[in-house]
Amino acid sequence: MSTFRLWAPDAKTVSLVVAGSAGDATHEMSAGRRGWWWVNVPSAKHGTDYAFVLDGGTEELPDPRSVWQPAGVHGRSRLVDHATFHWSDASWRGIALAGSVLYELHVGTFTPEGTFDAAIGRLDHLAELGIDAVELLPVNAFPGHHGWGYDGVGLFAVHEPYGGPEGLKRFVDAAHARGIGVIMDVVYNHLGPDGNYLGQFGPYFTDRYITPWGPAVNLDAPGSDEVRAFILDSALSWLRDFHCDGLRLDAVHAFQDSRALHLLEEIAESVHRLGAQMRRPLFVVAESDLNDPKLVVAPEAGGYGLDGQWCDDAHHALWATLSGERQGYYVDFGSISTLAHALTQGFVHEGGYSTFRGRSHGRPMPPTTPAYRFVTFLQNHDQIGNRAVGDRSSAQLSDGLLRIGAALLLTSALTPMLFMGEEWGAHTPWQYFTDHLAPGLGDAVREGRRAEFAEHGWGPDDVPDPQDPATFERSKLDWSEPTRPGHGSLLDWHRRLIGLRRKLPALTDPAWASVECTFDEEARWLVVRRGDVAIVVNLASQRQTVPLDGVPFDAPAASAPGFTYMPGRVELDGESVVITRLLPPAG
C-alpha cells in the first residue's frame, strides 16, 4: 500500500488519478492539517503512474515531489520505492571537501550517448586521473531532451533521458566503487518557465521580490514554512536516497530571505545532521558573487556554516593573467600582483572598489578560515559556455600557459576543480544549448543570446543557435583526443600534478599563512611557496632566471625540459613552470 500526500493549501478538492491494469482509477483525497491532503491506495506500488487533479478540473498535474517523470515534466509521475535498488556501497565512508580535487561533469555531453550508464564507462579514466569527486551539473527533471539543467522544474525527479532515478543510482554506486564521491548541483533560487506547475499547488512564489527569472521563490512570506521544507527535503533526498556526498547550491545570492534563520544555515544544519546520522561526511558548497565570508563562517560566529563556496575572484585572477583578457568582470584582474593576492587570500574584492560594479564590493575573509573552503577553477560550465562561441582555454592559451594554469590551480591552497575534458586540453567547445518545446520560448532564448553578444561586436550568425541540435552535438567530448600525442601529454601533466598533491603534504595545507608569493610584474615571473615546496613560474616568452629564497634539492615536476636549479635561483624556459622541493633552513 502507498500513501500519497500533497500540499495544496488553497484547493477545495484534490483527486488522485492512478493508472492500473484495468484502467485509471480516481481517488478523492482527504484534507489534513495546514493544507496537506492524503489518501491510501492499496494497489499502488513501485512503478505505478499517477497524477493530481485540483478542484474538479480536467488538467492532470505531476507530483511536485515526484522522483520519476518517465514521460517528461508534463506527464504523469511514477512511484519509486528506493528499497528496490540494491546498493553495493555499504563500505563507502564518504569523502571530505578538504584535500579533494573536484571534476565538473555534464552528463549529456560527457559521452556520445549522454547517459549515466555511458558515464560509468569513463569513471576509470577519472580514477586514474586522481579525481576525488565529480560534481554533476543539475540532473533534476527539465523540459526537452538536452540542456544545461539550470531550467529544471522537478526538484526531486531525475532527468529521464539521462537514465532516470535508477540510472543515477547506478552511477553513484559505480563511482563509490572506484573511490570517487558525487556532488549534486542543485538550483533552488528559481525554476524554469516550461513545466513549472508549483504555483498551481500553493504559494511557492512571491511577488514581494523580483528576480532575473520573475517572482522569487517564497522563502519568507506567508506559506513559506512548507516551501522551505520542500527545498530542504529535496536537498536531503539527493544525499539520503541517491547516496550523493555533497551539494553545490546555484547562485545563492539570488535567495530573498529576511528570516532570522536563513535558508542557507538551515540547509547546512540539515545536511550535517544527516551526515552524523549516516556516519559519513556530507558537505554543502555554494555559488555566490557577494564575496561574503558569512557563507562559510560558523553559525555561532554569525555565519551560515556552509562547508565551502566557489571563488570566482581566484578564477578571474588566474584566467586574466594567462589570457590577457580585461573586458567585463576581468577589468580589475590581470596583474601578477592580483593573482598573488588571490592565491594567498582567496577574495580579491574585499571591500575595495570594483570597477565592473561601479562600487565597493566584498569583505575580507577571516584569516583563520581554511583555504580549502574556496573552490576555484581555470574553467567551468559558466566560464566556457557563457562565452559567445563556448571556446575553451585550449583555444585561447598556448600549451605552456595551459600547463602553468594547471600547476597553479592544482598546487593551490584552495580546492581545485577541473571541467570535463580540461585535463587533456579538449578542442571541442562547450556551448550554450537548449531544447525548449514551449511555443516562443526557444525563439526568445535565441534572440536574447544574439542581442547579448551583439553589444560586444558579435554578429547574429557568429553566435551558435542554442536551439539547434548541432550546438548540443558539438559540445560533446571527443574521447579519441586523449590518445593523441599533444592531448595525451597534457593529460599526463594533470595526473602528475594531482599525484604530487597527494604525495607532498605542503600542497594540501589549508592554512593561508602557509602560502607566500614573490613576483616581478615587469619580468613576468611568479614564485608560490607552499612550505617546503616552491612553484616557480615563468610567464614571459623568453627563458630567464627566477630568484628563489631557498635551496632546491629536487624537481618532482616540470612542464618543459632543460631547466636548471641551484641555490637561490631556477632557470627555466619561457611559458613554463618548475615545481621544486627546498632544503629546510640551516639551524
Side-chain angles (χ1 to χ4, degrees), residues 289-291 332 349 351-362:
D289 72 351
L290 298 178
N291 282 24
D332 289 325
H349 292 301
Y353 188 77
S354 164
T355 305
F356 172 67
R357 295 173 178 85
R359 58 170 175 80
S360 58
H361 181 65

Side-chain angles (χ1 to χ4, degrees), residues 194-461:
D194 186 10
N196 178 8
Y197 297 103
L198 286 185
Q200 298 187 45
F201 290 102
Y204 282 91
F205 303 94
T206 174
D207 56 9
R208 284 187 177 186
Y209 315 105
I210 299 298
T211 75
W213 310 283
V217 176
N218 178 16
L219 302 180
D220 57 9
S224 58
D225 283 357
E226 293 297 347
V227 177
R228 294 165 75 100
F230 176 77
I231 292 173
L232 289 170
D233 289 347
S234 167
L236 296 181
S237 73
W238 298 113
L239 307 171
R240 181 189 59 244
D241 301 327
F242 293 96
H243 290 204
C244 292
D245 301 278
L247 301 174
R248 182 263 190 187
L249 307 179
D250 181 64
V252 300
H253 49 267
F255 286 172
Q256 300 289 342
D257 184 6
S258 62
R259 288 195 180 197
L261 177 60
H262 195 280
L263 178 65
L264 289 176
E265 183 179 346
E266 202 168 358
I267 290 174
E269 181 182 281
S270 299
V271 167
H272 296 154
R273 188 184 302 120
L274 179 62
Q277 176 189 341
M278 300 176 69
R279 298 182 60 208
R280 64 183 178 91
L282 301 174
F283 55 84
V284 186
V285 175
E287 178 197 23
S288 171
D289 72 351
L290 298 178
N291 282 24
D292 189 350
K294 190 174 186 177
L295 270 68
V296 296
V297 169
E300 54 267 29
Y304 297 147
L306 300 178
D307 300 281
Q309 68 173 96
W310 277 24
C311 185
D312 280 347
D313 277 15
H315 163 269
H316 296 351
L318 181 56
W319 175 252
T321 301
L322 295 175
S323 69
E325 292 188 3
R326 299 292 186 275
Q327 75 277 16
Y329 45 67
Y330 295 129
V331 65
D332 289 325
F333 300 88
S335 67
I336 300 177
S337 63
T338 302
L339 175 58
H341 187 101
L343 293 174
T344 55
Q345 298 182 60
F347 290 151
V348 172
H349 292 301
E350 303 175 295
Y353 188 77
S354 164
T355 305
F356 172 67
R357 295 173 178 85
R359 58 170 175 80
S360 58
H361 181 65
R363 65 187 302 176
M365 181 69 72
T368 55
T369 304
Y372 76 79
R373 296 199 187 281
F374 286 107
V375 175
T376 198
F377 26 78
L378 178 58
Q379 303 181 68
N380 67 27
H381 72 276
D382 274 329
Q383 301 300 339
I384 303 172
N386 284 328
R387 298 172 68 87
V389 295
D391 47 327
R392 293 169 174 263
S393 58
S394 57
Q396 302 293 319
L397 305 180
S398 67
D399 181 73
L401 291 179
L402 285 175
R403 292 169 186 262
I404 289 173
L408 289 172
L409 175 67
L410 292 169
T411 64
S412 74
L414 293 76
T415 296
M417 184 176 75
L418 301 174
F419 184 72
M420 60 179 198
E422 176 181 353
E423 68 271 26
W424 71 71
H427 284 169
T428 50
W430 203 74
Q431 299 176 334
Y432 184 69
F433 48 84
T434 57
D435 184 29
H436 294 303
L437 305 178
L441 185 56
D443 292 337
V445 169
R446 179 189 302 110
E447 295 310 313
R449 187 84 173 167
R450 289 173 173 172
E452 175 187 357
F453 288 104
E455 299 176 3
H456 303 284
W458 292 86
D461 295 333

Side-chain angles (χ1 to χ4, degrees), residues 4 6 14-19 25-27 29 48-54 59-63 69 74-78 201:
F4 294 83
L6 176 71
V14 178
S15 302
L16 172 72
V17 179
V18 177
T26 300
H27 303 264
M29 302 183 73
T48 296
D49 289 347
Y50 67 100
F52 296 109
V53 176
L54 303 180
E59 183 182 16
E60 291 188 355
L61 301 176
D63 185 354
Q69 289 296 126
H74 299 287
R76 288 182 174 182
S77 303
R78 182 167 292 174
F201 290 102

Side-chain angles (χ1 to χ4, degrees), residues 64-69 139-141 154-159 165 238 242:
R65 291 170 175 258
S66 166
V67 177
W68 196 358
Q69 289 296 126
V139 303
N140 59 293
L155 299 191
F156 291 74
V158 182
H159 192 51
W238 298 113
F242 293 96

Side-chain angles (χ1 to χ4, degrees), residues 101-103 125 128-131 378-379 393 399 401-411 416-419 421-426 486-502 557:
V101 176
L102 312 183
Y103 187 95
H125 165 85
E128 293 168 4
L129 179 59
I131 295 302
L378 178 58
Q379 303 181 68
S393 58
D399 181 73
L401 291 179
L402 285 175
R403 292 169 186 262
I404 289 173
L408 289 172
L409 175 67
L410 292 169
T411 64
M417 184 176 75
L418 301 174
F419 184 72
E422 176 181 353
E423 68 271 26
W424 71 71
H487 295 292
S489 176
L490 187 60
L491 173 59
D492 182 64
W493 176 242
H494 281 82
R495 285 181 182 142
R496 291 167 60 197
L497 291 171
I498 294 174
L500 282 183
R501 193 174 178 89
R502 303 283 179 270

